[in-house]
Amino acid sequence: LLDTVIQVLVGTTDERTTTLIRRNALERRNRSSYLEIPLLFEAHAQRGAWTFALRGGPTIGILQGLRGALPSNTGYTKLSDETFQHMVLGYTVQARVNHQLGPAWSIGLGPALRGQLTNSIDSNGLNRRSHAAGVVIGLSYRLQ
């Protein structure tokens, strides 16, 4: 087989400008902290010592703190200089399987999803919506 490259030249009348911005390497850990207030709904079924549950609902996040920097056209902008929304709507979903260890103790395990539904940054056309997936492990004691 023989590789063949065909080049097609097209005439055009538009003008294009490209700007290349070179930034120094920078290791930065950004952090935005929200106090999250969930409104959770749960459905569960029990079979012997096992309980199967699905829990989820909307969350309201209230901004508590910002630390770090974001790239911009002039270098880096501190997160504290950006306009963040002080309240962000989100969601949380958890599935869980619990096993009763005794009359009051149980242990549980299951996947979880969390995220923000609205953009947390208000300025410069930046888009920031955090999403996370993980596992929830729990050890519970029921007060009787």
Side-chain angles (χ1 to χ4, degrees):
L1 295 176
L2 178 64
D3 291 336
T4 304
V5 177
I6 299 173
Q7 295 181 353
V8 177
L9 299 175
V10 177
T12 180
T13 58
D14 64 339
E15 182 178 320
R16 294 181 187 166
T17 304
T18 303
T19 304
L20 178 64
I21 299 174
R22 183 176 292 246
R23 294 186 180 99
N24 293 332
L26 181 66
E27 182 176 330
R28 198 59 82 157
R29 293 187 192 270
N30 292 344
R31 175 175 289 179
S32 57
S33 300
Y34 286 87
L35 170 66
E36 231 176 42
I37 302 168
L39 176 60
L40 299 177
F41 301 96
E42 181 174 316
H44 58 270
Q46 190 167 0
R47 180 121 173 126
W50 296 92
T51 303
F52 305 92
L54 182 63
R55 175 189 293 173
T59 62
I60 298 172
I62 301 168
L63 183 64
Q64 296 294 303
L66 299 168
R67 188 173 20 178
L70 291 173
S72 65
N73 291 338
T74 58
Y76 289 91
T77 304
K78 290 183 179 180
L79 283 183
S80 56
D81 294 340
E82 289 291 334
T83 307
F84 274 71
Q85 291 189 24
H86 289 283
M87 187 165 57
V88 176
L89 299 177
Y91 66 91
T92 183
V93 178
Q94 297 176 5
R96 190 179 72 241
V97 176
N98 277 2
H99 181 67
Q100 200 73 28
L101 298 174
W105 289 95
S106 66
I107 189 167
L109 177 72
L113 296 173
R114 301 179 76 180
Q116 294 175 334
L117 296 172
T118 55
N119 191 8
S120 61
I121 299 179
D122 261 349
S123 64
N124 297 331
L126 296 173
N127 189 2
R128 183 180 183 280
R129 294 182 184 166
S130 299
H131 300 282
V135 176
V136 175
I137 300 171
L139 180 63
S140 302
Y141 180 78
R142 185 184 324 197
L143 299 174
Q144 297 178 356

